[in-house]
Amino acid sequence: MSADLVTPERIAETEKLIRPHIRRTPVMHADMRDFGGSALPVDLKLELLQHSGSFKARGAFTNLLTREVPEAGVVAASGGNHGAAVAYAAMRLGVPAKIFVPSVTSPAKAERIRSYDADLVIGGDRYADALAASEAYVATSGALAVHAYDQMETLAGQGTLGKEIEEDLPEMTTLLVAVGGGGLIGGIAAWFRGRVKVVAVESDGAPTLYEAFKAGKPVDAPAGGIAADSLAPRQVGRLMFPLAQRYVEPPVLVTDDEILAAQKALWNGARIVAEPGGAAAFAALLSGKYVPAPTERVCVLVCGGNTTAVKFG
């Protein structure tokens, strides 16, 4: 199936379907002075406040509501957030779920998956290992596989976030989005189709889209760095890549130190608790790796908050 099938019309229909099951997350209007930077208005779309702690709930509900779920239930491979979202959606819809995660998954994400009554399985050291383990399970169980990013339903579900952001911020000209497998930025690109500047931001330890842009196709890339549990698949998705080539700016790479500085700045300046992958897009702006023109109205997508960075008691 062609990614061209992920049209704005399909995304709008998807949004109506999943709206009863997802939150409309807020926008914070801020200034980079709040975070120790130079004066610059910035809007923060706080999708970390979505059910299960990330944007992934949108794609998870889309899959479970538009595909036939067998008695064996659903299975997903995940660095953490996708698994938590599938587990949450399955719990809400009364469906069994088995989630395969790599050993690099953060304790916060593993704990969240278990809290949704899913069967959690550690499958190898990296996402690709967990994916292989999940595929072997699907072959023997008949469970429905829900891919984290390289699936039409997932792209359409994540694209609803683009629709929501445009409704929130009709004057926005530039949107900064973190990239792992590319399901989020692919869905967003499918919605906007060039109407706004969509800037990809990646960890330099897992430059999947950066390497794909260089090669002209998805290729294997390193899978490390501080955000490895959310931004480190082996390759960017094949379904989203044509959308990225057409509608996404070349990726900006940020370092682990810049991501950590962004996490600290979001907490100190706005009491926002973002996980590393959730703070990566903001890191591009805070570090000066992305410098907007004076005419740009910038929105940064803070896409995940599953971290134990703040503990109470």
Side-chain angles (χ1 to χ4, degrees), residues 186-203:
I188 286 173
W191 172 258
F192 283 110
R193 295 188 174 259
R195 294 198 307 279
V196 304
K197 185 179 184 181
V198 178
V199 180
V201 182
E202 292 189 291
S203 162

Side-chain angles (χ1 to χ4, degrees), residues 138-207:
V138 167
T140 59
S141 69
L144 178 70
V146 181
H147 199 281
Y149 52 88
D150 204 21
Q151 195 161 317
M152 293 296 175
E153 292 83 0
T154 304
L155 285 166
Q158 319 311 23
T160 66
L161 183 50
K163 180 178 184 293
E164 189 170 302
I165 293 171
E166 186 168 29
E167 292 169 352
D168 292 340
L169 300 167
E171 303 304 316
M172 176 189 66
T173 66
T174 305
L175 178 62
L176 273 62
V177 183
V179 177
L184 175 59
I185 203 167
I188 286 173
W191 172 258
F192 283 110
R193 295 188 174 259
R195 294 198 307 279
V196 304
K197 185 179 184 181
V198 178
V199 180
V201 182
E202 292 189 291
S203 162
D204 65 357

Side-chain angles (χ1 to χ4, degrees), residues 203-248:
S203 162
D204 65 357
T208 51
L209 187 58
Y210 180 86
E211 293 296 336
F213 267 54
K214 284 203 307 182
K217 62 181 181 180
V219 293
D220 285 358
I226 193 173
D229 64 343
S230 58
L231 302 183
R234 181 174 292 167
Q235 293 186 3
V236 76
R238 294 187 176 275
L239 293 176
M240 67 75 61
F241 187 62
L243 292 163
Q245 285 183 302
R246 275 177 270 174
Y247 304 123
V248 174

Side-chain angles (χ1 to χ4, degrees), residues 117-132:
D117 299 327
D119 183 11
L120 181 71
V121 180
I122 306 298
D125 294 329
R126 289 291 183 265
Y127 169 75
D129 302 323
L131 179 60

